[in-house]
Amino acid sequence: AGSVRLRAGVEPLHSRCCAEHFSPEMSAETKFNSDGYVHRTRKYDDLLDGKANYKGSLNFSAYQQGRDEQYLGVNGKNYYAKPWGNDSSNVQAVLNGPAYWKRVYYRENIAKRFWEEDQKAQKAEDAEAAKSASPMKKSASAPALERLSDVPPADAYQGIKDTMKPFAERQGKPRIRAMQHGERLDFHNTLGHKYHMKAGGKNLTWDVSKQTHRSTPNEMKWILSNYFRTDTQAVLAGAGSEPNLHK
């Protein structure tokens, strides 16, 4: 096939065709896909951070809610110290108490975040002052009250978090007993309670043949889903079957 040569300043035919058929809808779709990729990667990074801090007991939904900027009262560089915008924590506290306390458990220590940002700014300022010809650093002449502490501020919610930890890590999880080494999930060690009932003050158990039992497709999906949770490690360790409140 011979090559095609174009004169200077002449637009290729295929470029003009593409421009004619390019529509605003295609541009919106491209932006939608690119924005979705950004959000997806950010959530993946958040998931990795959550797993690094909370290991296999992570409740990712509560973790995200506890670090929402509107819930924390942060709007860019402004700190309101109270929820703003579309935050739903007040409504959640009334309508869904368990989810609200899990959000509080995963709440970010916002004071520590500000302290870390101030530390970075102070180090950058000191480095800039060291490069200048001034014999005295700006931080050395500043009043003592303006100097940063070397110790990060304590979490004001730490007492609540310590009390709510068993509840936040266990409540709502599948009530599966701790698995033995090499034991796999099946119907009888996950959903076997379906054949148990209480009536007249007695625990009634159906005589079920374990050898011939066949699970429904929905039951199989739920059993397998326990292998793909962010808190699978805690679920397989039996966290859901343990008491979730201090006595």
Side-chain angles (χ1 to χ4, degrees):
S3 60
V4 179
R5 302 182 62 183
L6 298 175
R7 298 192 307 274
V10 178
E11 183 181 8
L13 179 60
H14 66 84
S15 299
R16 285 179 288 173
C17 294
C18 293
E20 293 175 358
H21 292 86
F22 190 79
S23 62
E25 290 77 9
M26 293 179 63
S27 177
E29 181 181 0
T30 303
K31 184 178 185 304
F32 177 83
N33 292 331
S34 62
D35 290 349
Y37 176 79
V38 173
H39 295 317
R40 184 168 61 253
T41 52
R42 285 178 179 173
K43 293 304 176 185
Y44 182 72
D45 291 339
D46 292 341
L47 178 61
L48 295 181
D49 292 339
K51 285 187 173 182
N53 294 327
Y54 296 95
K55 310 303 179 184
S57 62
L58 173 67
N59 183 330
F60 188 57
S61 297
Y63 177 82
Q64 286 286 279
Q65 291 178 338
R67 279 159 169 70
D68 180 69
E69 297 291 283
Q70 295 183 354
Y71 168 62
L72 296 173
V74 179
N75 185 1
K77 295 183 179 180
N78 300 320
Y79 180 51
Y80 298 146
K82 63 179 181 179
W84 64 276
N86 295 324
D87 174 70
S88 60
S89 58
N90 292 332
V91 176
Q92 187 183 40
V94 176
L95 300 181
N96 191 355
Y100 170 78
W101 287 111
K102 292 176 184 178
R103 177 199 288 236
V104 173
Y105 172 74
Y106 288 103
R107 179 188 176 96
E108 180 184 0
N109 184 0
I110 195 66
K112 182 179 179 182
R113 187 213 291 186
F114 293 154
W115 176 83
E116 292 174 347
E117 293 177 353
D118 292 340
Q119 287 283 350
K120 292 180 180 179
Q122 186 65 57
K123 291 180 180 179
E125 182 180 334
D126 293 343
E128 189 67 24
K131 295 179 181 179
S132 64
S134 176
M136 181 181 293
K137 297 180 181 179
K138 182 179 179 181
S139 59
S141 62
L145 293 178
E146 296 181 3
R147 296 177 183 175
L148 297 176
S149 171
D150 295 333
V151 180
D155 190 353
Y157 286 81
Q158 193 58 50
I160 299 176
K161 293 179 179 180
D162 293 340
T163 303
M164 300 303 298
K165 181 177 180 179
F167 178 83
E169 292 185 349
R170 299 170 186 172
Q171 192 274 339
K173 296 187 187 298
R175 301 183 65 84
I176 300 175
R177 63 170 176 79
M179 296 289 102
Q180 301 297 324
H181 181 71
E183 183 180 6
R184 65 180 183 179
L185 296 178
D186 56 32
F187 176 86
H188 299 288
N189 59 22
T190 57
L191 295 172
H193 59 273
K194 291 181 66 174
Y195 293 117
H196 296 261
M197 61 180 297
K198 291 184 178 181
K202 298 180 180 180
N203 292 327
L204 303 179
T205 304
W206 297 95
D207 185 13
V208 180
S209 173
K210 293 186 177 182
Q211 289 75 18
T212 60
H213 173 81
R214 295 294 182 270
S215 297
T216 65
N218 288 335
E219 290 173 344
M220 289 300 302
K221 290 179 182 178
W222 186 86
I223 294 172
L224 293 175
S225 69
N226 289 285
Y227 287 116
F228 302 96
R229 298 169 56 105
T230 58
D231 57 355
T232 293
Q233 181 179 348
V235 171
L236 298 184
S241 62
E242 299 176 359
N244 53 37
L245 293 174
H246 290 301
K247 294 184 179 179

